[in-house]
Every structure is written in C-alpha cells, then in structure tokens.
Amino acid sequence: MSYPWTTAWVTGASTGIGRELVEQLAAGGVRVAATARSADKLEDLSRRSPNIVAFPCDVTDRVAMSDAHKSILARFGRIDLAILNAGVWDQTPALRFDATRAAETLAVNYLGLANAVAPLIAEMVERKSGHIALVSSVAGYRGLPLAAYYGPSKAAAISLAEVLQGELPRHGVKVSLINPGFVETPMTAVNEFSMPFIIKADDAARRIIRGLRKGRFEIVFPWQMMAMTKFARLLPYPAFFWLVRNVIAVQAEPPKK
Ligand SMILES: NC(=O)c1ccc[n+]([C@@H]2O[C@H](COP(=O)([O-])OP(=O)(O)OC[C@H]3O[C@@H](n4cnc5c(N)ncnc54)[C@H](OP(=O)(O)O)[C@@H]3O)[C@@H](O)[C@H]2O)c1
C-alpha cells in the first residue's frame, strides 16, 4: 500500500491505536516519528522498521513538544501528516468527581493537542501543505455517564478541529477529526461495562488511514456507533436525558460482583 505522505508524526504511539497507525504507515514506506512517554516501548517499536524513529515526549509539556517538533523537522525535513492521538480515559461516576483528575485529563486530551498544533500550524501554513488529524471520540458529541473527565476533553478536541477546519484549508493545510467508537486497546481493557460494536486496534488504524487518504474531515467508526451517537446528538435535552438515565446509564453500570 502506498500513501500520499512521505513523513508523519504520531502521538500516543506506544500502544493501542497509535502503535498500529505507526506500524501500518511505516509498512507503507512513510517515515514516522513516534511520540509517547514510554521511551522503552518506542525503542521497541522503532526496531520493527527503519522507517520508525522514536521521539519520546510528554504531550502535556509545551516546551518539550515544541522541541520534539523541531527535532522531527531536523530529522525528516517536514511533517506531511500529524496524527495527534495521545489520550487518557478513566471511568468515573459524577459522584466521585475530582478536579485534579479533570485537569490531568484535559492536559493530555486537549492541551496535548494544542501543544502540537501550535508549532505544526506555523510550519505547515508557511509551506502551504500538510495534514493535521486530531483524535477525539464519539464520547465527545454529548455528555455521557462515567465520562466526567473524558467527555469534556474530547468535546474540546472536536471543537478545536472544527475551528481549524474553518480556517486552515485556505492556507493549504488539511484538517481531520477522528472519532472512534470502542476499540480493543489497553485503554478499554479496564472497562467493566459492555462495549457494543468494539473493533480491533489494527482495524481502527486501517479505517483511520483510509479516511485520511480520502481527505475526509470527519472519520468516525464503526457505523453503528456513529449512528447511535449522532442520533443522540440530535435529540432535544428531555429526550436525551431520558435515554441517558433509562438506557445508557443502565448499560454503563459495571456488573455487580
Ligand atoms: N480505545 C477506544 O475505544 C477509543 C475510543 C475513542 C477514542 N479513543 C482515543 O484514541 C486515542 C488512542 O487511544 P487507545 O485506545 O489507543 O489508548 P492506549 O492504548 O491507552 O494509548 C494511549 C496512548 O497515549 C499515550 N499517552 C498518554 N498520556 C500521554 C502523555 N501525557 N504524553 C504522551 N503520550 C501519552 C500513551 O503512551 P504513554 O503512556 O507511553 O505515554 C499511549 O501511547 C486516545 O486519544 C483515545 O481517547 C480510543
């Protein structure tokens, strides 16, 4: 499979969807800069292909991300595609809401995007090309049970992608928003509730790359989760909260041991 990119930067590359993206892009001849905190896992990944180069970094560290971006440019010359995928999730009922965890989640899932987007915009707009893809979630469309930290952070990511898509294409820069449903990864392995229509991480990566190649703005999958969550987004509040309390919250309830 040949791709329309020579170089790419993938964050959240050490496990799950990000790792699969790196492997598939590298297998198609793309030189990929792989970022996450776990330097050992990135080194292991980079040994799998000469096209993969590890750039360990914490996405919440603004200065370190700007330095990582500079180092990637120094090594690759330019970044054709950036898939900003690093993320964290924890399932917390609103009754146990903790402001520190809320801030930590926002720092990774939203500010982590911002810390990459800032240097990328400057570089891509100057050369009038490039593609920035933000990974959010179908959980960002509306406020859902157990997603007290995750939901708002993913809603912010969706909003940022919409803002960028309104402005950057006229400067030659493509923008994509990736909203997966449930995917089998270390992130979802902790979930005790049922995860309808869950797919494998390699399948998710293939769907993402296919959507990016087609230049789609919104890449959302699988279609069943897309249909359910987009339908929920259209509902007026009384109907939405009826659905949340009587259907979604019941399904999200961890099984009683
Ligand atoms: N799995 C799903 O069902 C699902 C559904 C919708 C959306 N998503 C989104 O898809 C993305 C990938 O998720 P996944 O399921 O593949 O999860 P995952 O396997 O847990 O991967 C998360 C990645 O993010 C990295 N990361 C976390 N905090 C970081 C930080 N501070 N700095 C740098 N990297 C950090 C992790 O690496 P280190 O720990 O090594 O830093 C890891 O590589 C996330 O944005 C997630 O919200 C997933």
Side-chain angles (χ1 to χ4, degrees):
M1 172 86 60
S2 72
Y3 297 127
W5 316 285
T6 306
T7 58
W9 183 17
V10 178
T11 70
S14 60
T15 57
I17 300 169
R19 187 180 167 103
E20 287 291 339
L21 286 167
V22 170
E23 293 208 79
Q24 290 181 26
L25 288 168
V30 182
R31 298 176 74 203
V32 191
T35 288
R37 292 164 303 178
S38 310
D40 52 339
K41 290 185 186 150
L42 296 182
E43 283 309 324
D44 170 58
L45 188 58
S46 68
R47 278 193 287 275
R48 299 173 72 88
S49 163
N51 282 337
I52 302 172
V53 185
F55 288 89
C57 189
D58 185 328
V59 297
T60 66
D61 184 334
R62 192 175 310 146
V63 175
M65 283 294 279
S66 171
D67 290 345
H69 174 258
K70 285 192 196 110
S71 305
I72 297 165
L73 283 188
R75 179 83 177 245
F76 287 179
R78 63 168 205 258
I79 298 167
D80 294 326
L81 170 69
I83 309 179
L84 307 177
N85 161 79
V88 290
W89 145 258
D90 76 55
Q91 59 184 71
T92 308
L95 289 180
R96 291 210 303 268
F97 192 88
D98 175 75
T100 305
R101 284 297 299 135
E104 286 166 358
T105 304
L106 205 59
V108 179
N109 293 2
Y110 174 65
L111 296 177
L113 301 178
N115 290 338
V117 160
L120 284 166
I121 289 180
E123 169 220 337
M124 290 181 174
V125 167
E126 192 181 319
R127 64 184 161 87
K128 295 192 174 7
S129 73
H131 192 159
I132 301 174
L134 306 188
V135 177
S136 179
S137 166
V138 293
Y141 289 140
R142 282 208 103 151
L144 297 171
L146 303 181
Y149 314 137
Y150 189 77
S153 72
K154 292 299 186 180
I158 291 173
S159 180
L160 176 61
E162 289 172 353
V163 170
L164 299 182
Q165 173 66 356
E167 297 188 36
L168 294 188
R170 81 177 77 112
H171 299 283
V173 179
K174 289 184 192 153
V175 179
S176 292
L177 166 65
I178 298 161
N179 288 331
F182 291 114
V183 182
E184 256 182 63
T185 67
M187 180 177 280
T188 48
V190 297
N191 291 345
E192 293 177 310
F193 52 83
S194 81
M195 293 180 275
F197 311 114
I198 190 162
I199 62 170
K200 304 264 184 211
D202 60 336
D203 186 8
R206 264 191 301 278
R207 291 169 192 245
I208 290 169
I209 291 172
R210 198 183 313 136
L212 292 172
R213 290 184 82 192
K214 290 182 176 163
R216 292 218 173 107
F217 169 65
E218 191 183 33
I219 300 165
V220 47
F221 54 84
W223 70 265
Q224 295 94 331
M225 285 303 282
M226 176 181 75
M228 278 165 37
T229 52
K230 294 237 175 195
F231 171 71
R233 189 157 72 156
L234 293 175
L235 292 176
Y237 276 134
F240 172 67
F241 290 124
W242 184 92
L243 187 72
V244 165
R245 290 181 191 125
N246 295 289
V247 181
I248 302 173
V250 177
Q251 284 178 358
E253 193 84 24
K256 302 223 169 17
K257 299 236 164 80

